Amino acid sequence: MSYKFHQFQVVGRALPTESDEQPKIYRMKLWATNEVRAKSKFWYYLRKLKKVKKSNGQMLAINEIFEKNPTTIKNYGIWLRYQSRTGYHNMYKEYRDTTLNGSIEQMYTEMASRHRVRHHCIQVIKTATIPAKLCKRESTKQFHNSKIKFPLVFKKVRPPTRKLKTTYKASRPNLFV
Amino acid sequence: MPFKRYVEIGRIALVNYGKDYGKLVVIVDVIDQNRALVDAPDMVRGQINFKRLTLTDIKIDIKRVPNKKTLIAALEAADVKNKWESSSWGRKLIVQKKRASLNDFDRFKIMLAKIKKAGVVRQELAKLKKETTA
């Protein structure tokens, strides 16, 4: 499964000067499509928090963070700050997914579809893996059932490869199972 | 008509699109409305969209997300492989695979066998026709 958004750990600090021999080192975990963008994002956030810019700072380390258990399902809670047409708002969203990168991708696509918020207007404040008892949204809680059972109601049978796709079909499809 | 095949933990499904096309997998958990966590003895446990699965009639008895050993033991206990290969759906898939892997000599042998079979059927038909007209 390839994900569009990768998680990076970026570590940087201001350049040492005569007045400050050992500047504080800051570490951020953020999501970006590649390393270059991650570094840029790091400086963007750090500028808003501390008096340091890329021109008077140095990047110490950037590592990609991979999912530890991509074969287990987890409930992810994402706190975000986004810019709508009329102002900034905070939001809390929950997703069920196997990896954190997958749930972040779900979040970006859902914000784009439900609220027309583009990716550059979203800031991820915090993410957490939520145990099932503490989930707030009904849409995630409905899958917390060890005896879950539902039928697949409309089943469109697709050609097994895109090559075998045809524009016209002789008969209407049978959607039952 | 009510539904007979449900998405549930332990349901065997056939993958009908993508890299694992043609594999029989077990649904071990449901992620959300569109995706399930599936597992098979020869693949790493992973997520797959329901659009890529066709449910079968076979269901095995497992708990939510069993480990690989328990899964393989449950598959053996329910005898999934034999049930699948003796079902009409499973047999059809085996025949399709065989037909796709024939070489020219095999096709020649099949042609001779078909001619022979048609000859025997026609002889019997001629005999029956003679009896009814006589």
Side-chain angles (χ1 to χ4, degrees), chain A residues 1 3 71-73 96-98 106 143 146 148-153 155 158-160 162 176-177, chain B residues 2-3 5-9 16-17 21 29-33 35 37 45 47 50-53 55:
Chain A
M1 266 245 64
Y3 295 105
T71 56
T72 54
I73 300 174
R96 249 173 94 78
D97 204 320
T98 49
Q106 256 184 297
F143 292 100
S146 66
I148 193 164
K149 177 173 165 176
F150 55 88
L152 292 175
V153 180
K155 210 53 185 30
R158 303 189 289 182
R162 297 272 326 256
F176 181 69
V177 180
Chain B
F3 292 98
R5 296 177 186 164
Y6 292 86
V7 169
E8 49 197 332
I9 295 172
N16 60 24
Y17 191 97
Y21 178 71
D29 204 354
V30 171
I31 300 177
D32 61 19
Q33 199 191 355
R35 293 176 293 166
L37 197 62
R45 200 192 313 153
Q47 64 173 351
F50 287 127
K51 289 189 180 177
R52 295 194 174 193
L53 292 178
L55 307 177

Side-chain angles (χ1 to χ4, degrees), chain A residues 67-105:
Chain A
E67 182 72 31
K68 204 189 253 188
N69 289 323
T71 56
T72 54
I73 300 174
K74 296 170 272 287
N75 308 297
Y76 291 102
I78 302 178
W79 286 260
L80 56 136
R81 175 176 186 255
Y82 74 99
Q83 183 181 20
S84 71
R85 291 180 191 143
T86 40
Y88 284 88
H89 308 273
N90 292 334
M91 228 186 217
Y92 166 70
K93 286 194 156 289
E94 272 180 16
Y95 297 100
R96 249 173 94 78
D97 204 320
T98 49
T99 63
L100 187 48
N101 290 349
S103 62
I104 291 281
E105 195 169 336

Side-chain angles (χ1 to χ4, degrees), chain B residues 99-110:
Chain B
R99 287 212 177 122
S101 69
L102 294 173
N103 62 26
D104 190 56
F105 185 44
D106 291 327
R107 280 191 290 264
F108 178 73
K109 285 192 272 188
I110 284 182

Side-chain angles (χ1 to χ4, degrees), chain A residues 13-167:
Chain A
R13 67 167 189 174
L15 284 168
T17 61
E18 307 94 40
S19 55
D20 191 0
E21 291 294 315
Q22 298 272 19
K24 249 211 193 133
I25 303 180
Y26 296 102
R27 175 188 92 116
M28 266 198 95
K29 286 204 261 187
L30 34 83
W31 277 268
T33 42
N34 51 32
E35 273 190 22
V36 175
R37 283 209 167 133
K39 286 196 256 188
S40 170
K41 264 248 160 86
F42 171 75
W43 290 120
Y44 167 77
Y45 284 121
L46 206 57
R47 264 202 328 261
K48 297 193 175 296
L49 300 167
K50 299 285 160 201
K51 195 87 190 265
V52 62
K53 292 172 147 183
K54 182 173 172 202
S55 52
N56 52 15
Q58 57 185 187
M59 190 73 61
L60 295 172
I62 173 163
N63 311 95
E64 186 166 353
I65 301 177
F66 298 99
E67 182 72 31
K68 204 189 253 188
N69 289 323
T71 56
T72 54
I73 300 174
K74 296 170 272 287
N75 308 297
Y76 291 102
I78 302 178
W79 286 260
L80 56 136
R81 175 176 186 255
Y82 74 99
Q83 183 181 20
S84 71
R85 291 180 191 143
T86 40
Y88 284 88
H89 308 273
N90 292 334
M91 228 186 217
Y92 166 70
K93 286 194 156 289
E94 272 180 16
Y95 297 100
R96 249 173 94 78
D97 204 320
T98 49
T99 63
L100 187 48
N101 290 349
S103 62
I104 291 281
E105 195 169 336
Q106 256 184 297
M107 181 272 290
Y108 275 116
T109 53
E110 189 177 338
M111 290 301 288
S113 69
R114 290 221 150 99
H115 305 281
R116 303 296 195 250
V117 177
R118 274 92 201 174
H119 144 250
H120 53 263
C121 297
I122 294 175
Q123 301 175 0
V124 175
I125 301 170
K126 177 173 135 176
T127 60
T129 323
I130 315 268
K133 264 200 291 275
L134 304 174
C135 281
K136 279 177 33 173
R137 306 287 186 242
E138 280 304 319
S139 56
T140 47
K141 288 200 323 202
Q142 70 181 341
F143 292 100
H144 294 154
N145 176 4
S146 66
K147 295 195 184 48
I148 193 164
K149 177 173 165 176
F150 55 88
L152 292 175
V153 180
F154 293 112
K155 210 53 185 30
K156 180 170 176 292
V157 184
R158 303 189 289 182
T161 56
R162 297 272 326 256
K163 228 187 209 152
L164 299 167
K165 191 169 81 137
T166 59
T167 328

Side-chain angles (χ1 to χ4, degrees), chain B residues 22-119:
Chain B
K23 264 206 206 158
L24 277 184
V25 292
V26 187
I27 295 176
V28 295
D29 204 354
V30 171
I31 300 177
D32 61 19
Q33 199 191 355
N34 302 321
R35 293 176 293 166
L37 197 62
V38 297
D39 206 353
D42 57 347
M43 71 182 241
V44 180
R45 200 192 313 153
Q47 64 173 351
I48 193 167
N49 196 317
F50 287 127
K51 289 189 180 177
R52 295 194 174 193
L53 292 178
T54 332
L55 307 177
T56 64
D57 290 319
I58 309 174
K59 177 180 179 307
I60 63 175
D61 198 10
I62 50 169
K63 289 218 163 43
R64 208 178 70 87
V65 194
N67 52 19
K68 218 35 172 251
K69 234 173 9 143
T70 335
L71 180 73
I72 294 181
L75 285 172
E76 293 289 311
D79 206 15
V80 166
K81 200 156 183 291
N82 286 331
K83 267 203 217 150
W84 176 245
E85 283 169 9
S86 59
S87 72
S88 56
W89 187 356
R91 276 184 283 140
K92 271 191 270 193
L93 286 186
I94 293 174
V95 169
Q96 276 175 12
K97 235 182 245 172
K98 195 88 206 326
R99 287 212 177 122
S101 69
L102 294 173
N103 62 26
D104 190 56
F105 185 44
D106 291 327
R107 280 191 290 264
F108 178 73
K109 285 192 272 188
I110 284 182
M111 179 186 78
L112 295 183
K114 273 194 183 171
I115 292 172
K116 206 175 209 179
K117 176 178 130 186

